[in-house]
Amino acid sequence: MKQLQGHVAGLQGTLAVPGDKSISHRGLMIGAISAGITRLHNFLPSADCLATLAAVQALGVAVDRPTPTEVTITGVGKAGLHQAVGSLDMMNSGTSTRLFMGLLAGQTFDSTLTGDASLSKRPMRRVADPLLAFGADVNVTSAGTLPATIHGQPLHAANVQMNVASAQVKSALILAALQAPGVSTIVETLPTRDHTERMLRAFGANVQTTADQRTITVVGQPELVGQTLTVPGDMSSAAFFMTAASLTKNAQVHLKNVGINETRTGLLKVLQEMGGRVMVDKHMAGGEPVADLTIETADLHSITLGEKDIPALIDELPLVALLAARAQGVTTITGAAELRVKETDRIATIATELTKMGAEVRELPDGLVITGHADWHPQSLTLDSHGDHRIGMMLAVAALQQPETFTLDNADAVAVSYPNFFEDLAQLITPEAV
Ligand code: S3P
């Protein structure tokens, strides 16, 4: 249980948020199957990425970590992975699980993937089923969940139409296509984050994307060559401070080197549309666009979001709900049923916890309706992350502006993506004079 800091007088300062979670996972996996050395600077040392790191090591790849954020992978090439002794523990990480399903489907050995209680409830047929088109043999439980047994075998090229907007599923299919001789195409329902495609190109693969960002063509069996990459700061981590600064009086927060890949900047755009004060100073780093951001206190108004808006801010929707709960007017979010199958059912956990704090939030089957109020009247002072890192951090940001003192159960969950979150937040806070 953690006491959340509230009643703050301001938020001021400069932070470099930790490295991007999605890119850190992909750097480990793609580095592992490349020839030669891959160096990752600013790797994210969070529980999720360490699950991928341990699995890569269990598959016979040497990984050195001279500091928590510097990783050196001695790649084994496309046929060099070895069968792990026992099963691979994916812990809480959906990204590790789904990407490994695609990567391990084309190997010469069998693998078993397991996960924690939350991950073991999440849907895995969304990956196992489309992998069938490549000739893969991936078995999950009758409920469609982990453990997954992957019978590695030679794959063939395929053309797949996806039926869920998911970068994890897309990436699994790309990793399968990479191992099949010939040319495969994967068609998305809506464009999702494209870090896998960008990184594979940087490592020497022929992966093309159409102008509408929806069709990906993969030429199989490339020779990938290890690279040195600097992982940009994670937009999904920066988003907590962008929200905190927008909602807190006397705020001016500078965030350095944040990844602003177009497929990830939904919150930035939403905040600007809601009346937020965000300054963006852009540059390029390691094949990904990066920016220094400055965010200041703002008066916000409501917004309407639908299905096509969701992929670019899928992980930031708890924060959109919080912004809306303090903005003028009624915000409606629809087309976001994917939130029900994240680390928790986030539609339910957002509504439950913000309602406890006194916000007006109503659940829809595929979204939320939020009526903004400047003042909240709490029903309970005990909040719960429900074991979901992003819910825990959103609640800590929500508490900052409140005169009451809230406590947070299951606060440790933040380590899944941001182990030093509470310390970094504390650095920015100007306490109210007593
Ligand atoms: C991720 C994709 C998203 C996101 C997750 C990371 C990735 O999941 O929610 O935190 O790294 O590909 P879906 O693609 O399943 O929506």
Side-chain angles (χ1 to χ4, degrees):
M1 185 164 72
K2 180 158 183 78
Q3 186 157 325
L4 296 178
Q5 174 116 31
H7 206 43
V8 305
L11 274 190
Q12 302 278 338
T14 302
L15 269 185
V17 294
D20 188 274
K21 179 159 83 67
S22 296
I23 297 176
S24 295
H25 282 299
R26 287 155 171 82
L28 288 167
M29 290 188 199
I30 295 171
I33 56 165
S34 296
I37 302 288
T38 288
R39 287 195 174 80
L40 304 177
H41 301 299
N42 201 35
F43 169 78
L44 171 66
S46 79
D48 263 19
C49 296
L50 294 177
T52 293
L53 192 151
V56 161
Q57 286 175 318
L59 291 163
V61 180
V63 183
D64 286 332
R65 210 152 61 101
T67 72
T69 59
E70 303 294 308
V71 176
T72 305
I73 305 146
T74 306
V76 294
K78 62 184 172 203
L81 296 179
H82 288 291
Q83 184 162 28
V85 177
S87 56
L88 298 165
D89 185 0
M90 303 285 103
M91 298 165 62
N92 190 246
S93 178
T95 306
S96 314
T97 311
R98 280 137 178 179
L99 271 59
F100 270 125
M101 285 167 86
L103 182 60
L104 295 172
Q107 300 298 317
T108 52
F109 52 83
D110 294 351
S111 306
T112 302
L113 306 181
T114 58
D116 71 7
S118 151
L119 185 62
S120 300
K121 288 195 202 120
R122 297 181 64 188
M124 296 300 161
R125 276 212 189 100
R126 55 177 52 204
V127 189
D129 286 352
L131 278 175
L132 285 172
F134 295 92
D137 183 1
V138 177
N139 295 291
V140 292
T141 67
S142 57
T145 53
L146 292 183
T149 320
I150 302 157
H151 298 296
Q153 56 189 38
L155 303 179
H156 52 75
N159 301 320
V160 182
Q161 169 71 57
M162 292 174 59
N163 56 18
V164 55
S166 164
Q168 294 180 351
V169 175
K170 172 179 67 174
S171 298
L173 301 178
I174 293 174
L175 291 171
L178 208 63
Q179 299 171 79
V183 179
S184 296
T185 57
I186 296 150
V187 183
E188 295 198 83
T189 55
L190 286 170
T192 62
R193 66 190 67 188
D194 64 350
H195 305 303
T196 305
E197 298 89 308
R198 283 175 186 255
M199 194 179 290
L200 283 171
R201 281 196 281 272
F203 280 65
N206 184 346
V207 177
Q208 314 275 349
T209 308
T210 49
D212 66 0
Q213 300 289 311
R214 282 190 42 213
T215 303
I216 301 107
T217 306
V218 181
V219 179
Q221 303 191 320
E223 295 300 330
L224 301 175
V225 180
Q227 302 291 317
T228 295
L229 298 180
T230 299
V231 179
D234 197 324
M235 171 55 82
S236 298
S237 297
F240 295 101
F241 303 109
M242 291 161 64
T243 304
S246 300
L247 294 179
T248 306
K249 62 188 174 187
N250 304 319
Q252 188 183 59
V253 172
H254 306 285
L255 302 170
K256 308 291 282 181
N257 296 323
V258 182
I260 53 159
N261 179 317
E262 274 278 307
T263 59
R264 299 285 299 281
T265 48
L267 183 82
L268 192 70
K269 290 182 188 136
V270 161
L271 197 47
Q272 283 165 333
E273 267 182 59
M274 292 178 85
R277 291 162 57 85
V278 188
M279 277 62 78
V280 180
D281 182 6
K282 183 175 167 181
H283 48 278
M284 284 297 286
E288 292 270 357
V290 167
D292 294 338
L293 306 176
T294 301
I295 306 96
E296 295 172 352
T297 318
D299 286 327
L300 303 178
H301 50 80
S302 60
I303 194 167
T304 300
L305 297 178
E307 190 179 8
K308 66 173 189 353
D309 304 311
I310 303 304
L313 45 62
I314 182 70
D315 291 337
E316 287 66 72
L317 283 164
L319 293 168
V320 176
L322 170 58
L323 288 164
R326 297 286 304 279
Q328 204 175 16
V330 178
T331 290
T332 308
I333 303 168
T334 55
E338 275 296 297
L339 282 186
R340 296 228 180 250
V341 291
K342 291 293 177 189
E343 285 82 333
T344 55
D345 172 348
R346 285 189 179 151
I347 293 181
T349 46
I350 291 168
T352 305
E353 296 304 314
L354 284 181
T355 302
K356 277 190 204 166
M357 295 188 89
E360 191 178 338
V361 182
R362 185 162 60 83
E363 280 190 48
L364 300 174
D366 66 341
L368 294 157
V369 179
I370 303 132
T371 306
H373 295 288
D375 295 315
W376 296 350
H377 302 287
Q379 300 173 1
S380 164
L381 297 180
T382 306
L383 307 173
D384 193 348
S385 77
H386 298 261
D388 184 332
H389 54 133
R390 298 198 199 281
I391 298 296
M393 291 187 275
M394 180 275 282
L395 293 170
V397 172
L400 291 173
Q401 300 86 30
Q402 297 304 106
E404 299 82 10
T405 302
F406 290 93
T407 57
L408 179 66
D409 286 345
N410 297 307
D412 296 350
V414 304
V416 158
S417 64
Y418 200 157
N420 291 331
F421 171 75
F422 290 112
E423 290 80 357
D424 282 358
L425 181 61
Q427 261 188 52
L428 301 176
I429 291 175
T430 318
E432 193 78 82
V434 275

